[in-house]
Every structure is written in structure tokens, then in C-alpha cells.
Amino acid sequence: MSGALLDPRTRAPARARADALLARMTLREKIGQMTQAEKNSVTPDDVREHALGSVISGGGGNPEPNTPAAWRDMVVGFRRAAAESRLGIPLLYGVDAVHGHNNVVGATIFPHNVGLGAVGDADLVRRIGRATAVEVAATGVRWNFAPAVSVPVDVRWGRTYEGYGQDPELVGRLAAAYVEGLRGDRWDAPDAVLPSVKHYLADGAARHGSSTRWDRAAVKSVADDPTLANAGPAAEFLKVLDRGAWTIDQGVVEFDERTLREAFLPPYRAAIDAGALNVMASYGSWNGLRMHEQRTLLTDVLKGEFGFEGFVVSDWAAIDQIHDDPAVCVERSIDAGIDMVMVPFDWRRFMDLLEAAVERGVVPLERIDDAVRRILTAKFHLGLFDEAGEPDREPPLAVVGQPDHRRLAHEAARRSPVLLQNRGDALPLPPSLPTLLVAGAGADDVGLQCGGWTISWMGAAGPVTPGTTLLQGLRRLRSDADVAFEPDGRGEGRAVAGIVVLAEEPYAEGMGDRHSLALEPDELALVERIRARVDTLVLVLYAGRPRVLGDAARLADAIVCAWLPGSEGAAVAEPILGASGFEARLRLRWPAADADLPLHPFGPPGSGPDGAFEIGHGLSTTPWDEPDSAA
Ligand code: GLC
């Protein structure tokens, strides 16, 4: 790949131009490029004065008001300040647009990756990457912390839905397509967005119970944790802790190097070969070291063996977990191969500690130059230097949430549900159906169907952003039928068919780790209530991962896992009513009982318990308006 990275304006090797600029930089300016601050911890004046390399909106790091125009004003303000610094090195603004530009109200929200994996169509993912890049670039942002190439091992992990599945080949293929989508025709186009392939390495492989992200013995208040305090009220925090929050995420990976190389590395190879120039390190640890101090993996493997010419960014405050002494955290992470640090709060202290480490000779200047060269090379390659902070060539704000993007999201939401069970060919429901009873709050709630990483970090129930729901889709397709809606299913009348929607409460990261995936008692009770009132019962799951179904599998005639379909939830009605056919397949092993977890996807055949359903499972149906191929 050497030399493949060109500065598009001059067609000169971007690295050569990076070297020329590097020679003019002071040590402090170099360290500024290695610093990424959170937008509420920094001002444009700080960016100008310290020549910071990047600013980030963490999950929910939204401007007020949360509108595309306000986003663009905020981002351009930081970019202009960088352009006014002594050397005018352009700033990279970064966000988590993991299923569309999901922090922005009005943006198109695509199904989370777990649903896209179920479809398994690289072209669909590429088109979603392209639409996402256009909406992100319209707000002045040119760095997206996606795709996650997580291969979840224990699906109790709260980030299972951020990955495409447990098949490394599929994950690599879809991640490469997403990278190509973010690029579009060329990396220097004003609507190209830098991907961040994450989280390196084996982020989904931590053992349940091994995470030390939240030390319950310390009984410290979550209010003292500036990051988790963003996740919601302290009282709610204690409840999810009891249910298993922060028991897996950021935990210990216990696989051997051979498994790491065979199962978790290949997706990075695929994404880097597709042109990705940034990798984000993982919080977890392996062989007794945090990933953020794993010199072997970060430098010898990624930059040595793979020849990766881009740069590695840390995760949010992740280097702080290396040691009690902040100076040691800085020294060890930079020495291991971290090139830019997502600080995100006390960025001045980070800069001072790194400068002191270089001046004491603890961190060699060559390591600083290597890190900055990589960062500058990516910025030249993206063509940022000819914009000088002015977004006049970037897409217009009107593209955010535009109709053809919503149609694309609708297509993805229609194709991603997996039909797990279809007793008596209950689905598709007959077009002549006179009465349909719909139950479960999730049937008419955009927030629940979108899940985490939607407007706020954790996501939330309610009309959080414009979209359509399953209930609206059912009523639109069957305007002739009586489609009744009972969120709690406590009515009296009967119906020919019933649809019960069970939605996980939205969560993100370790806040979504659980001890159990079993349906809650009130969920099962709802299924039982509707079972008694209908002839045919369809169970629809909105979930970021498999659920242990228990008696629901006996009570329901048909079971559909619709994952987290995003803003265009009306699409889920189409395969249920036969306007389209079910096509998706499981890419995760589905447990029959909590006791069977984790169902290792890599174990030799026959090792450990069978799943209730296995990878590749998914029933197909034929739309009503197509001749039945089975006939
Ligand atoms: C978070 C996540 C990472 C995200 C980053 C910025 O903690 O681990 O996926 O990109 O911080 O929000």
C-alpha cells in the first residue's frame, strides 16, 4: 500500500507532504495534532491556540438546538479556528454515526449492523455507507467512528448489535463495503468521510464477569464518573448494574493468539484493504495488558505485518485505565502505538504530560513524528487542506433525512427481519384478514425500534426523531381491516390474528450487558394475554441480540426477530403481511437457555450445547403477489 496514499490535489504522495509539514511544526503543535478533545471541554479559541488535531461529539454530544444547521455551525466553528492556527492544519471532527447520522434529529436512522448482517448484502451496506457519509458531511463532519467489526462471542454483551455477526468473513465483507460507501468515488471528495474500524482487537470477545469498568465494591457514585453520568439517572444505573451492566464490555479476552488471528483480525485486513485509514483501539485486555498498551498488536501486527499507513485513535478516556499514574498511561499508550488520544476532557493535562515525556526522553521524538505523520497523511489523503475549514463544497443540509435515504432505510428494515418460527405457515398473514390486534408499546415507538446510539448515547423510548412505526405500516397496508392497538394488551375482544411486539429497552455499550437474555415476566404475561384472544399469534422482537424465548416459543405461531430496524419501522409490516418475503438469516447463535451462554461461535462442532437456532437459520416466505414457487 505504500505510495498508494496520494494528496489528490497534487497527486504527490501524501506522506511526502506530511513530512514537509512535519518539519515546520513545533513539538507542542505535533502533540496538538495527537489530541482529540470532547466538544464541551474545548472552545474554538483553544483549537486555534493549541492547534488541536480533532474534536469529537461523544454519544449525545449534540448542539442545542439539535438541528442539522446547528450541527454544521458548531462543527464549522471548530474547523475555521483550526484553519486560523499558525500552520492552519485542518481539524477532523468525529462522531459516532453507527446507523446513520444518529445523533442528529431528523437524520435517516438505518437498522443497526446486527440487522444488516442478517441481510448479508454488501451492496446494501455500501449504499447505506454512502447515504450516511452524505448526511454526515453535510454537517461538516468528516470522520465517522464506524464500522464496528466486532465479532460478539457472548451475546449478553451490550454491543452485540453494533456488529454484523459471528462470521468473520461476513463481517469483513460488509465492513469493507461500508468503508467503500463512506469513501464514495474518491477519498478527497467533499462528501467522503474517514472511517474508524473498531475496536481493535477482539472487542466482542471478553468473558462475562471479567469487566472492571465499574467496581461495585468501590460503591462510588456514578455522578463521580463523568462518562457514565451521561448515561442517565443514577437510580436507573444501579438497577441495570444488578441486571449485569458492565460485566462484559471492556473485559478480558482469553482466546489464544491463533484464535485472535483467525477470528478477529481478518475483518481489519478487509477494511484496511478497502482503504480505511483509521483504527480505534479497544478498551479490553489480553495477555495481562490493556489493548491500549499492546505494542505487539498495535505496532508489530497492525503497522508492521499489515503495513497499515493510517493512524490509531484511542477510545474515550481508555488510556486512563492503563495505570493509576496519568503520566504512565500517556507514556505506555503512545509507546505502544496509539497515535491520537481521545482524551476527551482534560486535554491540556494530556498535552503537558506527553510533552514532558518527550522532553525526558521517555517517549522518543521519532514516535511523535511517526504518529503525526500518520495523522497528517490521512488529512492530506482526504483533501482537507484545500478546504481551510470552509465547508462550501460539502453537501447541502437538505440531504439530512432526505426521501431517498429514508427509502433506503425502509428497504433495509424490510429485508432484515429473520423469521425464526412459522408454525402452520402462519406468515404471511392472509390479505383477507378482517381483524388484527397489535400489542406491545414497541409497535408504535420510534425510540424503541431504533435502540441505542440514537439522538442520545443510550437511546430512549418515545418520538425521539421523525420516523414510521410497525403499527403505521400495518394500518397503511391494511387500511380495509380493523387494526386495533393495545400497548398493554389488557383489552377484552378477540381478533383473528395478533401481533405482540417485545422491545428491549434501549442501551449502549456496557450499560447493555446482561446476566440474562430471558424474556421478562411482564413480557411473557403480555404474550399469554394476547394468546387467549386470537387464533394466530405472531411474536415480533425488537432486540440488539437473541432473547431466550422460553414459553413464548410454544405460545407463538410465528416468531420474527426484527432486530433494531431504525427510523423506518413501517417496513417491518411488509414481510408480515406478505407485501414482501422474508429472506434474512441468523448470523449469531441463538441460545435456548441462559445457562448455555456463551454459545461460542468458534468451538469445534459438537462442543457445548446446541443453540435454539444456529447461524444460517431463517425461514423464507413468498409475497402474496408472486406465484408461490413451492406450488
Ligand atoms: C465510546 C465507544 C466508541 C465510540 C467512542 C466515542 O466509549 O467505545 O465506540 O466511538 O467512545 O463516542
Side-chain angles (χ1 to χ4, degrees), residues 580-599:
S580 65
F582 282 96
E583 62 174 274
R585 296 289 179 267
L586 284 184
R587 310 300 179 184
L588 298 164
R589 300 189 68 194
W590 191 289
D594 286 329
D596 296 341
L597 288 163
L599 284 176

Side-chain angles (χ1 to χ4, degrees), residues 150-431:
S150 316
V151 177
V153 173
D154 190 325
V155 294
R156 288 172 291 189
W157 183 42
R159 309 196 75 164
T160 296
Y161 67 75
E162 294 186 60
Y164 295 108
Q166 291 175 324
D167 172 358
E169 187 281 327
L170 174 83
V171 172
R173 183 157 47 85
L174 298 186
Y178 189 80
V179 167
E180 291 162 0
L182 288 184
R183 178 199 68 211
D185 296 334
R186 22 180 324 143
W187 283 115
D188 68 304
D191 64 2
V193 171
L194 178 72
S196 184
V197 192
K198 68 185 189 179
H199 310 76
Y200 186 88
L201 183 60
D203 55 343
R207 173 175 53 79
H208 180 271
S210 68
S211 175
T212 55
R213 172 63 180 86
W214 182 264
D215 177 359
R216 296 206 67 169
V219 197
K220 55 184 184 266
S221 162
V222 70
D224 300 333
D225 185 314
T227 296
L228 295 188
N230 283 331
E236 290 306 310
F237 181 68
L238 294 175
K239 284 182 200 162
V240 288
L241 274 183
D242 289 337
R243 295 172 60 197
W246 302 107
T247 50
I248 300 175
D249 194 38
Q250 309 187 13
V252 179
V253 175
E254 295 172 338
F255 288 101
D256 60 18
E257 179 174 345
R258 180 165 172 261
T259 307
L260 252 58
R261 285 179 174 277
E262 290 176 357
F264 300 103
L265 262 179
Y268 288 89
R269 173 81 274 173
I272 290 165
D273 287 349
L277 280 179
N278 178 253
V279 166
M280 185 183 294
S282 175
Y283 284 107
S285 58
W286 179 65
N287 273 1
L289 288 178
R290 290 280 177 184
M291 287 295 178
H292 278 71
E293 57 178 330
Q294 278 282 358
R295 194 177 206 289
T296 304
L297 293 175
L298 290 168
T299 297
D300 302 342
V301 173
L302 183 63
K303 298 177 180 177
E305 281 181 45
F306 274 33
F308 178 58
E309 295 187 282
F311 68 101
V312 177
V313 66
S314 81
D315 204 335
W316 180 284
I319 70 167
D320 301 346
Q321 296 180 6
I322 290 172
H323 194 275
D324 292 339
D325 180 346
V328 173
C329 295
V330 170
E331 292 157 13
R332 286 187 186 171
S333 58
I334 302 301
D335 181 61
I338 300 290
D339 300 306
M340 180 184 283
V341 174
M342 188 185 296
V343 183
F345 305 118
D346 196 346
W347 51 273
R348 287 181 177 82
R349 181 183 71 173
F350 165 73
M351 292 184 70
D352 294 343
L353 288 173
L354 184 50
E355 188 174 29
V358 175
E359 286 166 350
R360 293 199 328 269
V362 175
V363 172
L365 183 58
E366 292 71 32
R367 175 74 270 270
I368 300 295
D369 287 348
D370 172 55
V372 178
R373 182 182 297 114
R374 289 171 179 273
I375 293 165
L376 296 178
T377 297
K379 291 183 175 182
F380 275 114
H381 197 54
L382 279 169
L384 296 182
F385 280 83
D386 58 1
E387 281 146 5
E390 290 309 319
D392 45 11
R393 299 186 307 130
E394 284 157 356
L397 287 172
V399 304
V400 178
Q402 71 181 15
D404 67 331
H405 291 174
R406 289 187 184 274
R407 280 191 292 274
L408 175 59
H410 185 100
E411 174 192 347
R414 181 186 74 234
R415 298 176 59 189
S416 54
V418 176
L419 181 54
L420 298 172
Q421 176 180 294
N422 197 20
R423 195 180 297 139
D425 292 337
L427 290 183
L429 292 176

